[in-house]
Amino acid sequence: EVHLVESGGGLVQPGGSLRLSCAASGFTFSSYDMGWVRQVPGKGVEWVGSIMKDRGTTYYADFVKGRFTISTDNGKNMMYLQLNNLKTEDTAMYICARGFGQGDETGKGTQVTVSS
């Protein structure tokens, strides 16, 4: 059974940073593209970015503008999302996804709140 468990969210001031983690299990992690999406209550799911299974190629949504970085550790079946220079509009539930875009499996998410 596929499990994706996110952690690392929290409350941060504008301009601050957070590092989110996604622990994957139940599938061959290194064989899949992986990524992050986010959701704000009352709004749809928004793609944040993806890392391809070669683990050297990444793609990001335009709104990221160099502020976020996706990385992985295949040996630990972990994916990370480094969030820098956070803005209030980045407040959302950040969700780990297996596959490109919104993927075929997702976790439950970790809440990021950006507020002064």
Side-chain angles (χ1 to χ4, degrees):
E1 184 179 0
V2 173
H3 285 285
L4 298 168
V5 180
E6 303 89 340
S7 61
L11 173 64
V12 62
Q13 292 186 341
S17 297
L18 282 174
R19 188 193 195 205
L20 309 184
S21 299
C22 171
S25 62
F27 63 101
T28 305
F29 179 74
S30 60
S31 296
Y32 284 83
D33 304 333
M34 296 291 297
W36 292 90
V37 297
R38 68 186 188 181
Q39 186 166 25
V40 176
K43 296 185 179 181
V45 174
E46 183 175 42
W47 174 69
V48 174
S50 298
I51 184 165
M52 309 310 286
K53 59 186 177 182
D54 66 5
R55 300 306 189 232
T57 304
T58 52
Y59 298 97
Y60 298 98
D62 288 345
F63 66 79
V64 170
K65 294 182 181 178
R67 300 181 298 127
F68 300 171
T69 303
I70 297 174
S71 62
T72 57
D73 184 334
N74 280 352
K76 295 181 179 179
N77 289 355
M78 295 291 295
M79 179 174 63
Y80 306 98
L81 179 63
Q82 178 68 41
L83 306 169
N84 295 328
N85 191 21
L86 283 161
K87 305 176 182 180
T88 55
E89 54 263 41
D90 293 319
T91 294
M93 182 73 75
Y94 283 74
I95 301 165
C96 170
R98 185 181 75 168
F100 190 85
Q102 297 188 16
D104 62 352
E105 295 281 352
T106 58
K108 294 183 178 181
T110 185
Q111 178 68 36
V112 172
T113 301
V114 185
S115 175
S116 55

